[in-house]
């Protein structure tokens, strides 16, 4: 379980928060226009940024004072950040504390099979397609068996066909791994396919927080859902903008 309580961050003129939510073993998709604070939120949870206020609680223990490497949080970025001097196999196993541990190697073998990168293990990263690189990056992140997974537009640079295949693989992984996951999609199709719940940010404020049914209602009825559009979502809809009297800026989606 992951709980975020009253999380805030000031970055220049931009202010995030307060952000509040509790996430069980499900996928929370975070939507918002560019500059709404999606990546900032992920960076706070990962420990890349330090919050000004608020707490981050993982499995009943506060982690906001812990360094990134002690949080057991996996982070998949837009850019794969693979090591160019290593083979695919070594990239995937890089973060393992003991690469000879039988349980760890079985877990890696499981990931390699689902993500369809077994034939790539002895290759270098140069020459891999965008989809292959992203699969390797996801396998590397999950190989360390994180307790929380963060994904920031991992399909942003993929073509439509590759994206559809990777969505199918991620759905399978999410169902089997069953851990709290925060996913920032590049377009609404990803949100509909992968999300169990939704958080919508606008200029750093929470304007909506809803479950799976409400996510579907939002994307199908209130947004112009175009899977290949450039923006991650359309403009914030009329029914979701929080007023000054809302509790901490939160407005839930309609029932």
């Amino acid at each position: 379980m992951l709980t975020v309580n009253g999380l805030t961050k000031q970055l220049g003129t931009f202010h995030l928060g307060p952000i509040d939510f509790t996430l069980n073993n499900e996928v929370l998709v975070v939507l918002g226009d560019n500059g709404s604070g999606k990546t900032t939120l992920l960076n706070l949870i990962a420990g890349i940024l330090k919050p000004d206020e608020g707490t981050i609680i993982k499995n009943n223990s506060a982690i906001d004072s812990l360094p990134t490497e002690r949080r057991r949080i996996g982070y998949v970025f837009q850019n794969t950040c693979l090591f160019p001097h290593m083979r695919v196999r070594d990239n995937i196993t890089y973060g393992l504390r003991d690469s000879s541990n039988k349980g760890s190697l079985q877990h890696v073998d499981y990931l390699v099979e689902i993500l369809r990168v077994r034939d790539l293990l002895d290759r270098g990263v140069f020459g891999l397609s965008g989809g292959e690189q992203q699969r390797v990056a996801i396998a590397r992140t999950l190989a360390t068996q994180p307790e929380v997974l963060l994904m920031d537009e991992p399909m942003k640079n993929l073509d439509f066909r590759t994206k559809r295949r990777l969505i199918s693989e991620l759905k399978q992984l999410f169902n089997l791994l069953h851990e709290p996951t925060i996913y920032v999609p590049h377009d609404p199709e990803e949100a509909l396919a992968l999300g169990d719940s939704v958080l919508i940010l606008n200029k750093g404020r929470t304007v909506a927080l809803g479950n799976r049914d409400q996510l579907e209602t939002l994307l199908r009825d209130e947004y112009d859902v175009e899977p290949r559009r450039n923006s991650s979502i359309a403009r914030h809809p009329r029914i979701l903008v929080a007023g000054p009297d809302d509790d901490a800026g939160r407005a839930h989606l309609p029932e």
Side-chain angles (χ1 to χ4, degrees):
M1 177 184 291
L2 180 72
T3 299
V4 170
N5 288 326
L7 204 64
T8 69
K9 183 64 180 179
Q10 187 77 35
L11 293 171
T13 60
F14 174 77
H15 181 80
L16 177 72
I19 305 295
D20 299 270
F21 63 83
T22 295
L23 183 62
N24 293 306
N25 296 331
E26 59 186 322
V27 180
L28 172 70
V29 293
V30 181
L31 300 174
D33 289 333
N34 291 336
S36 61
K38 305 184 297 292
T39 299
T40 299
L41 174 61
L42 297 191
N43 288 342
L44 288 168
I45 294 171
I48 297 172
L49 294 175
K50 183 178 180 180
D52 296 332
E53 296 179 320
T55 57
I56 304 166
I57 301 171
K58 177 172 66 71
N59 298 331
N60 300 316
S61 297
I63 63 170
D64 39 280
S65 62
L66 294 179
T68 300
E69 64 273 14
R70 292 184 55 195
R71 296 193 181 198
R72 294 205 63 184
I73 291 178
Y75 200 155
V76 178
F77 299 91
Q78 292 180 19
N79 298 317
T80 58
C81 302
L82 299 177
F83 299 114
H85 62 289
M86 293 183 180
R87 297 177 303 167
V88 166
R89 184 191 308 274
D90 298 324
N91 266 280
I92 292 174
T93 60
Y94 177 81
L96 299 182
R97 292 187 177 90
D98 181 4
S99 58
S100 64
N101 180 274
K102 184 177 180 180
S104 296
L105 292 178
Q106 287 178 338
H107 180 66
V108 169
D109 190 67
Y110 162 78
L111 295 172
V112 162
E113 188 66 30
I114 290 181
L115 289 167
R116 299 189 296 114
V117 295
R118 187 175 302 281
D119 292 342
L120 307 177
L121 291 177
D122 293 319
R123 291 177 55 182
V125 299
F126 290 113
L128 297 181
S129 69
E132 289 170 340
Q133 290 185 36
Q134 198 56 268
R135 287 185 174 89
V136 173
I138 293 169
R140 180 179 63 183
T141 299
L142 293 176
T144 61
Q145 301 185 55
E147 295 176 347
V148 173
L149 179 61
L150 310 176
M151 305 187 80
D152 189 6
E153 296 193 46
M155 303 190 202
K156 182 176 181 179
N157 300 316
L158 303 184
D159 63 76
F160 181 71
R161 181 176 296 180
T162 301
K163 182 182 298 185
R164 293 297 295 270
R165 287 198 297 263
L166 189 52
I167 284 175
S168 177
E169 293 159 10
L170 285 179
K171 287 176 68 174
Q172 186 179 359
L173 276 174
F174 292 160
N175 289 334
L176 293 173
L177 295 175
H178 209 53
E179 61 190 16
T181 299
I182 302 178
Y183 188 98
V184 177
H186 180 58
D187 62 44
E189 182 187 28
E190 294 170 55
L192 280 173
L194 299 172
D196 297 308
S197 53
V198 60
L199 169 68
I200 301 179
L201 299 177
N202 177 27
K203 298 180 181 178
R205 300 180 64 218
T206 298
V207 293
L209 184 64
N211 59 26
R212 171 68 194 187
D213 291 339
Q214 294 164 328
L215 168 62
E216 292 180 359
T217 298
L218 168 72
L219 292 178
R220 290 173 179 165
D221 297 344
E222 297 297 328
Y223 288 103
D224 181 16
V225 178
E226 297 177 11
R228 287 184 247 190
R229 70 189 306 159
N230 292 327
S231 175
S232 60
I233 62 169
R235 292 290 161 187
H236 28 279
R238 60 188 182 280
I239 62 170
L240 295 177
V241 178
D245 296 327
D246 288 311
D247 181 19
R250 174 180 296 173
H252 289 275
L253 289 163
E255 295 294 332

